[in-house]
Amino acid sequence: MSQAFAIAIHGGAGTISPETMTPEKYEAYTEGLKRALDKGYAILEQGGASMDAVQAAVMELEDCPLFNAGKGAVFNHVGKHEMDAAIMNGQDKSAGAVCGISRARNPIQVARAVMEKTEHVLLSGAGADTFVVEQQLPIENDEYFYNQLRYEQWQEALLEGTVQLDHSEKKMGTVGAVALDQAGNLAAATSTGGMTNKKYGRVGDSPLIGAGTWADNRTCAISCTGHGELFMRSVVAYDIACLMEYSGFSLADATDKVVMQKLVTIGGEGGLVAIDNEGNIEMPFNSSGMYRAMRKSDGTIKMAIYK
Amino acid sequence: MSQAFAIAIHGGAGTISPETMTPEKYEAYTEGLKRALDKGYAILEQGGASMDAVQAAVMELEDCPLFNAGKGAVFNHVGKHEMDAAIMNGQDKSAGAVCGISRARNPIQVARAVMEKTEHVLLSGAGADTFVVEQQLPIENDEYFYNQLRYEQWQEALLEGTVQLDHSEKKMGTVGAVALDQAGNLAAATSTGGMTNKKYGRVGDSPLIGAGTWADNRTCAISCTGHGELFMRSVVAYDIACLMEYSGFSLADATDKVVMQKLVTIGGEGGLVAIDNEGNIEMPFNSSGMYRAMRKSDGTIKMAIYK
């Protein structure tokens, strides 16, 4: 079997400026991306499923404190962590997601369990935390999620009275992955800690099927990162699939129209990683940077932060 | 100004059989629908906004114990109420939504406040309940939400160990409204108590923009009712808008394709009310019944339960 396979990942988009990037930080971020990319790619190379590849890649990013997901999740208004994640299988459009969970080590693993162990798609809040415990998925205490940088970001946001989109260089948000496997199946996964100092159980686009996450073998797999509210109101991920299915757009044209035109018009800062069923990959963003990487079975490898 | 205006509402879809419907029950349901329809229509007739009309109609349905939303919300697994709602303005695609709130008298009012008083779109769980209190929106105690029929449904579901889609005649779910006002603006609103005996903070399609609720002046306004998980995975409401915008479908053709073909193929039982920017209304459903009503400025009035 020699069907093409490929994976693309992101570690968030935002106003990332080269001026404040030290060589050490650059090295750390690219190292984090590389570990996740390698993990996912290895699964695809061995003939594994795209669902396993995107989950493994996202778990690696969740375990890295540099990215706003899992261990690196930002603090909410009351100094806790509320994490969201979603995973979708392009083969049958089955999906699982969680929002507002606080204790799981790997929210994407919980999303996968929602998909496989329940008849539901989205579980939320305290109820979802109970599900994590009942499923005996790894949980962590506050110490695990504590991170001095995140703590300082929260204190700063508290003082300023602002809700921070985790979008400055110090405050990068959301991780995700999309992949095509050797069986021709697409998958997408997204995970995030949301906004620093967020209140009232705010949920963004990441865990919402069609908004921040989408996969359908007939069209594409998408994982978004950006200003969640505007991504939700634009149903970004499914909009790209519809442009492909109903208007005959290529992946490149559809992602360009949504990210570089439609979202720009409404001030929806961010980007996404996308893959179609031929293994074409697009990683567009309208912010100054997006942590991203991709690797294809034809030997193409790319890793970048700025434009 | 003599621009056409119109409103359509629903009180849930499911396996509603004429055999078990008594004249008294029929009277009560149609009376409940009529009150909501009249409330919304009066606002449109006086030149009011579609946003106010759909909110008023849904609040009326939330206040009626017959429908699974607000006062009539079903019991979850631990004997509490977790309610979801969303509202969307077709003029600027602004939106507000809540999921898993437990104390608000009118969840749709909370969704409207999320849209107007915060920079967010979706608030969840305990955090969203805090928002309700801070906004001084009407809250109610357990007694208000207590309802013998709902209690018995919950006890039955507990015994059977099932999660009930509120889809038998006894267990009808979700309310919603869509409207076009004299200024040519579309709006949609949806509210639900979800599934009887639901666990783990399960959230369905109702509060998700693009899934259960959508409004865009360029295409249509939609409010869905049905098997939430399958509606989420199909991004039902936005799919109809995309078929209109990208494939040039009429509202009738787009709703027919999604409800009577695509959803039927995957077993996604339910229906929706839809209106386009010319005031055309569609109320398709693939279940045996859907509580529904509509009224147009040209004099058309319709109210029905069965096919």
Side-chain angles (χ1 to χ4, degrees):
Chain A
M1 178 165 220
S2 63
Q3 148 101 32
F5 57 94
I7 183 167
I9 64 171
H10 70 79
T15 41
I16 309 164
S17 76
E19 289 73 29
T20 57
M21 180 66 81
T22 63
E24 292 74 23
K25 277 165 68 180
Y26 188 88
E27 178 68 25
Y29 277 111
T30 51
E31 182 54 40
L33 285 173
K34 187 175 183 309
R35 272 200 307 274
L37 189 71
D38 288 351
K39 201 101 174 189
Y41 189 83
I43 290 171
L44 298 174
E45 196 169 34
Q46 289 151 24
S50 53
M51 282 292 283
D52 296 330
V54 296
Q55 181 180 338
V58 166
M59 284 177 71
E60 198 67 33
L61 293 165
E62 285 175 338
D63 292 344
C64 175
L66 293 170
F67 302 104
N68 175 19
K71 183 165 175 54
V74 298
F75 286 89
N76 72 5
H77 186 64
V78 295
K80 298 281 180 187
H81 306 279
E82 289 175 318
M83 301 175 288
D84 310 326
I87 191 165
M88 188 165 187
N89 185 345
Q91 193 174 5
D92 59 1
K93 295 200 281 179
S94 55
V98 283
C99 65
I101 63 172
S102 59
R103 302 171 63 194
R105 182 187 188 103
N106 292 107
I108 199 67
Q109 196 178 26
V110 185
R112 180 84 181 256
V114 171
M115 182 185 124
E116 293 181 346
K117 312 281 189 190
T118 80
E119 52 188 315
H120 302 310
V121 170
L122 177 58
L123 302 184
S124 66
D129 276 327
T130 301
F131 175 75
V132 173
V133 172
E134 283 188 19
Q135 290 291 315
Q136 301 183 296
L137 294 168
I139 59 173
E140 298 289 347
N141 57 22
D142 287 351
E143 201 179 335
Y144 174 80
F145 293 108
Y146 181 83
N147 173 306
Q148 199 185 336
L149 175 63
R150 298 296 185 203
Y151 186 81
E152 284 164 9
Q153 287 170 355
W154 170 49
Q155 291 296 318
E156 192 183 309
L158 268 180
L159 277 172
E160 291 169 2
T162 57
V163 179
Q164 299 283 357
L165 271 181
D166 192 40
H167 273 186
S168 75
E169 180 153 44
K170 296 188 299 185
K171 321 184 186 76
M172 232 17 242
T174 312
V175 306
V178 294
L180 171 69
D181 63 27
Q182 295 189 39
N185 291 318
L186 293 171
T190 311
S191 181
T192 187
M195 298 161 92
T196 297
N197 200 30
K198 67 184 175 183
K199 291 168 82 170
Y200 309 128
R202 176 262 183 187
V203 177
D205 64 310
S206 302
L208 306 187
I209 301 305
T213 305
W214 182 255
D216 182 350
N217 280 2
R218 294 175 310 149
T219 51
C220 59
I222 309 272
S223 172
C224 299
T225 168
H227 191 151
E229 277 71 14
L230 292 165
F231 277 58
M232 291 161 82
R233 289 166 51 195
S234 304
V235 202
V236 165
Y238 190 59
D239 198 27
I240 290 166
C242 286
L243 282 166
M244 294 177 71
E245 184 174 354
Y246 301 147
S247 293
F249 278 42
S250 66
L251 184 75
D253 289 345
T255 53
D256 183 76
K257 183 169 179 80
V258 172
V259 177
M260 308 311 285
Q261 296 175 48
K262 293 174 82 165
L263 279 171
V264 168
T265 303
I266 60 169
E269 194 187 357
L272 52 84
V273 291
I275 188 167
D276 68 16
N277 54 22
E278 294 176 348
N280 297 302
I281 286 175
E282 297 294 334
M283 305 190 286
F285 56 98
N286 59 38
S287 45
S288 62
M290 180 170 81
Y291 296 107
R292 62 201 187 277
M294 60 89 107
R295 186 169 176 190
K296 295 185 185 188
S297 55
D298 68 6
T300 319
I301 301 186
K302 189 172 166 181
M303 188 172 316
I305 300 178
Y306 311 110
K307 288 200 173 157
Chain B
M1 178 165 224
S2 63
Q3 148 100 33
F5 57 93
I7 184 167
I9 64 171
H10 69 79
T15 41
I16 309 164
S17 77
E19 289 73 28
T20 59
M21 179 67 83
T22 64
E24 292 73 25
K25 276 166 67 180
Y26 188 87
E27 178 68 26
Y29 277 111
T30 52
E31 182 55 40
L33 285 173
K34 188 176 182 309
R35 273 200 306 274
L37 189 71
D38 289 351
K39 201 100 172 192
Y41 189 82
I43 290 170
L44 297 173
E45 196 168 35
Q46 290 152 23
S50 53
M51 282 292 284
D52 295 330
V54 296
Q55 182 181 339
V58 166
M59 285 176 70
E60 198 68 32
L61 293 165
E62 285 175 338
D63 292 344
C64 175
L66 294 170
F67 302 104
N68 176 18
K71 183 165 175 53
V74 298
F75 286 89
N76 71 6
H77 187 63
V78 295
K80 297 282 179 185
H81 306 280
E82 290 175 318
M83 301 175 287
D84 310 326
I87 191 164
M88 187 166 189
N89 185 345
Q91 193 174 4
D92 59 1
K93 295 199 282 179
S94 55
V98 283
C99 65
I101 62 172
S102 60
R103 302 171 64 196
R105 182 188 189 102
N106 291 107
I108 199 67
Q109 196 178 27
V110 185
R112 180 84 181 256
V114 171
M115 183 186 125
E116 293 180 346
K117 313 280 189 189
T118 80
E119 52 188 315
H120 302 310
V121 169
L122 176 58
L123 302 183
S124 67
D129 276 327
T130 302
F131 174 75
V132 173
V133 172
E134 283 188 19
Q135 291 290 315
Q136 300 184 295
L137 294 168
I139 60 173
E140 299 289 348
N141 57 22
D142 285 352
E143 201 179 335
Y144 174 81
F145 293 107
Y146 180 83
N147 173 306
Q148 199 186 335
L149 174 64
R150 299 297 185 205
Y151 186 80
E152 284 165 9
Q153 286 170 355
W154 170 49
Q155 291 295 319
E156 191 184 309
L158 268 180
L159 276 172
E160 291 169 2
T162 57
V163 179
Q164 298 284 356
L165 271 182
D166 192 39
H167 273 187
S168 75
E169 181 154 43
K170 296 188 300 185
K171 322 186 187 74
M172 228 23 233
T174 312
V175 307
V178 294
L180 171 69
D181 63 27
Q182 296 190 39
N185 291 318
L186 292 171
T190 312
S191 180
T192 188
M195 298 160 94
T196 297
N197 199 30
K198 66 184 175 184
K199 290 168 83 170
Y200 309 128
R202 176 262 183 187
V203 177
D205 63 312
S206 302
L208 306 187
I209 301 305
T213 306
W214 182 255
D216 181 352
N217 281 1
R218 293 175 311 150
T219 50
C220 59
I222 309 271
S223 172
C224 299
T225 169
H227 192 151
E229 278 70 15
L230 292 165
F231 277 58
M232 292 161 82
R233 289 165 51 195
S234 304
V235 201
V236 166
Y238 190 60
D239 197 28
I240 290 166
C242 286
L243 282 166
M244 294 177 71
E245 185 174 353
Y246 301 146
S247 293
F249 278 42
S250 66
L251 184 74
D253 289 345
T255 53
D256 182 76
K257 183 169 179 82
V258 172
V259 177
M260 307 310 285
Q261 296 174 48
K262 294 174 82 165
L263 279 171
V264 168
T265 303
I266 60 170
E269 194 186 358
L272 52 85
V273 291
I275 188 168
D276 68 15
N277 54 23
E278 294 175 347
N280 296 303
I281 286 175
E282 298 294 335
M283 306 191 287
F285 56 98
N286 59 38
S287 45
S288 62
M290 181 170 80
Y291 295 107
R292 62 201 188 278
M294 60 89 108
R295 185 169 176 190
K296 294 185 184 188
S297 55
D298 68 6
T300 320
I301 301 186
K302 188 172 166 183
M303 189 171 316
I305 300 179
Y306 311 111
K307 288 203 172 152

